[in-house]
Amino acid sequence: MLKYANPTHFLRLVAAVLPWLWLACVGLLGVGLYMTFFIAPADYQQGDTVRIMYIHVPAAWLSMFAYSIMTLSALGTLVWRHPLADAAQQAAAPLGAVFTFICLITGSLWGKPMWGTWWVWDARLTSVLVLFLIYLGLVALWNTIEEPTKAARTAAIFTLVGVVNIPIIKFSVDWWNTLHQPASVMRMGGPTIHPTMLWPLLIMAVGASLLFLALHLMAVRNVILQRRLRRLSYMAAQAGEQEMAS
Amino acid sequence: MTRGPRLLVENLALVRGTRRLAQGLSFALESGQALSITGPNGAGKSTLLRVLAGLLAPAAGTVSLSGVDPQEMAQHIHYAGHAEALKNALTARENLQFWSALLGGPAGLTPQQALERVNLAHLPDLPVSYLSAGQRRRVALARLLVAPRPLWLMDEPSTALDTAAQARLAELMEAHLSGGGLIVAATHSPLGVPAGELMLGGRP
Amino acid sequence: MSAALALFKRELRIASRAGGGGAMGVVFFLILITIVPFAIGPDLNLLSRIGPAILWIAALLAMLLGLDRLFLGDHEDGSLDLLQMGALPLEVVIVVKCLAHWAVTGLPLVIVAPLFGLMLAVEGDGLAGVAASLLAGTPALTLIGAIGAALTVSLRRGGLLLAILVLPFTVPVLIFGVSAASAASGGTVPFATPFLILCALSLAALALAPFAAAAALRSRD
C-alpha cells in the first residue's frame, strides 16, 4: 500500500499544513525567547550566560531527533523502497548537520565564560563533534551520487551503520574522557531544574522542534520537485533526440 | 546436460534510476532456445540482462527458472557482460581456475580444454594483460565452459571478435543449445544461431 | 570452502604481483613516523610518552590508504558481478577479501610496529603492547573500512569520500587501541580492560560489517 502513496498528495498536505506550522513555530519561539531573556532568572554562578542553554539544549535535542528521522526514513528506503522516504532522508541530513553545528557553536560560546576557553575536549562536546562529522559525511555522500535512488540506498545503509556505531562512539569517548581528565565540574543549575527555567526550556524545545519540522517539510517538498524537474528534463532530452532522428 | 530448465519472465518492469525503460515484459524460453534482444541505445538491453542475472531488482514482475530454487537462481546463470572479469596480473589459466572454483557447481572443462575450444591453447601461461581485446574476449568466453550453467546471458558477445572468432563463438553457442542450454543475448548484429527476437522499444 | 580458499589465494596473488600494496603501506607508515618528530621536536621523553599514540595514528592512516582499492578493481572489471553469482554468499566473499586485504596491509604494520616503536623510544612492554593492540584492532579497521569501500565503489571521487565516511567510525578503535598500547607501558588502567574491549570491537565489526558492505555492494548500480 505504501508503495503507491502519491507524492502529489504529500505536496498538497504540505501546502495545507505549512502556514499553521509556521504560525505555531513563530509564536512559540517568540514566547520562548521572551521568557529566555526577560523571565528566566540568571544563574547565581553563571550569570546571564546560562541563557545560552535555551538555544543549546533544543539544538542538541534536534541533532539527535534529525538522526532518528533519518533512521526511520532509511528503513523506509531499504524496506519499502518508498520515494518519500528517500526524500525525507535527503532533506534531514543537512538540517541535522546545521542543528548539530548550532549545538557545537553555542556549546563553545558557553564554554568560553564557563571554562575560560573556546573548546574543551569534554566527553559530551566531543561526541557531538563526531556526530557532526558523520552528518558532514552523509551530506558529502548525497552530493557525490547523482542518481537519486542509488544515493538514497547508499545513504540509508550509511545511516543505519551510524545508528549501530553512535552509542559505541559515545561509550568510547566517555571512557577516553574519564581516562584523560577528571570529571567536568560543569553542572546545569543544580540537580533539579527550577520551574522558571524549565518552562522556557520546554517552550523553546517545542518551538525549535516545530521549526525543524517546518524546514524539513519544505526541504522534502524541494527534493520532490527537483526530482520531477530532473525527470522532465530527461524526457525533453529524449524527445529532442527523437525529433533529430526523424 | 540433457534437458535444461525453462526460463519464464512474467510482467517485468525495468527501471533505471527514475526512468521507466519497459513495462509488462513477458516471455518464455524453452531448453535449447536462444533469444536475441535488440533495440536502440538506452532501450534497456543491458538492464534487462542484469535483471535476469539477479544483479538488479526488477521494478515489478518475476524471473524464474523451472525446477530451480529462486534463492539459488544466480548459480544456474552465466553472465558475460561488457567487462571481461579478468585480472591482468593473473594468467589466462589462473583466471579460469579461479572462476571454475568460485562459480562452483558440476565440473566442466579444465582451463586448458576450455582455452583450446576458443583457439587460445597456446597462451595459457601469459598474463592476461599481454592479450589483445579479442583474445581477452575469448578467455572470457572460455569461462562459460569451465563451469557448466544452463542459462547464458551475453551482452554484445561478438564485440572485438574477428570473423574466425565469431564463427567459433557461434559453434560454442550451438553446442550449448543442443546440449539443452538457453541463451539470452543483447545484440546489434545477428547472433549467429537461430534465435527469437525481442525488440525493446526506445521510448519510456 | 574450496571456493573461499581459491578467492583468498587469488587476492594474495594479485597483491603480490601488482605493485605490492603491503610494502607501500609499510613505507608510508615509516614516513608518517619520521615526520612526527619533525613537527613536535626530537625530545625522547615526549616521544616515548606519545609514541603508542603516534604508532596508532600512523597505522590508521596507512590502513586507510589502500582501502579504496578493496572492491574497486573487481567492480571495474566486472568480477564483482560474477562474485555475486558464485557459490559463496556475498557476505562470505567480503570476509575473505577483508582477510586477504588485512594480511597484505594490516599484518605487515603489526610486524614492523615494534621496530618503528624503538625509533620513538617506546620500550619493552610498550612495544609488545603496541604490537598486540594493533594485532587485535587493525582487523576492525579493515572491516569498518570495507563498509566505506563498498559504499563508494562506483563513485569517481571515492577515495576522499571514503576517508570522510570511515574515519569517524574508527574513533572507538583508536581510543581503545591507544589505551591498551599505553597501558602496557604503565599507567592507571590494566592492559586487559581496553585490550578486551578492542577485541570485542573487532569481533562486532566482523559480525556486522560484512552485512552492511554486502547491502552496499548489491545496491551499487
Side-chain angles (χ1 to χ4, degrees), chain A residues 67-68 70-72 74-75 134 156-169, chain C residues 169:
Chain A
Y67 208 96
S68 320
M70 281 196 320
T71 306
L72 290 177
L75 289 174
I134 292 175
I157 294 167
F158 184 73
T159 303
L160 294 183
V161 169
V163 168
V164 177
N165 266 285
I166 286 170
I168 301 178
I169 293 173
Chain C
F169 291 140

Side-chain angles (χ1 to χ4, degrees), chain A residues 133-134 137 140-141 144-146 150 153-154 157-158 161-162 164-165 168-169 171-173 175-176 179, chain C residues 147 151 154-156 161 164-165 168-169 172 175-176 179 189 193-194 201 208 212 215-216 219-221:
Chain A
L133 295 177
I134 292 175
L141 197 60
T144 312
I145 309 179
E146 284 169 26
K150 185 182 159 196
R153 280 197 308 260
T154 310
I157 294 167
F158 184 73
V161 169
V164 177
N165 266 285
I168 301 178
I169 293 173
F171 161 72
S172 329
V173 171
W175 159 285
W176 163 81
L179 201 66
Chain C
I147 302 175
L151 287 170
S154 57
L155 306 180
R156 268 170 287 113
L161 184 61
I164 290 174
L165 294 180
F169 291 140
I175 288 174
F176 290 104
S179 283
V189 187
T193 320
L201 286 176
L208 297 176
S219 61
R220 92 199 111 96
D221 66 358

Side-chain angles (χ1 to χ4, degrees), chain A residues 175-209:
Chain A
W175 159 285
W176 163 81
N177 194 250
T178 47
L179 201 66
H180 287 268
Q181 67 178 51
S184 160
V185 290
M186 178 193 162
R187 282 168 69 211
M188 268 197 306
T192 54
I193 186 164
H194 194 267
T196 49
M197 297 175 96
L198 183 64
W199 275 110
L201 187 58
L202 279 179
I203 291 174
M204 283 301 284
V206 174
S209 303

Side-chain angles (χ1 to χ4, degrees), chain A residues 10-38:
Chain A
F10 175 79
L11 290 181
R12 218 172 289 145
L13 188 76
V14 169
V17 166
L18 260 185
W20 301 104
L21 203 56
W22 275 117
L23 202 68
C25 166
V26 171
L28 276 172
L29 284 182
V31 173
L33 283 173
Y34 178 80
M35 289 174 84
T36 298
F37 286 105
F38 300 108

Side-chain angles (χ1 to χ4, degrees), chain B residues 110-136:
Chain B
T110 64
Q112 184 63 37
Q113 287 169 333
L115 286 171
E116 273 165 28
R117 295 286 294 276
V118 294
N119 286 345
L120 283 175
H122 53 299
L123 306 169
D125 295 319
L126 212 55
V128 166
S129 53
Y130 292 22
L131 303 184
S132 72
Q135 286 170 327
R136 293 172 64 95

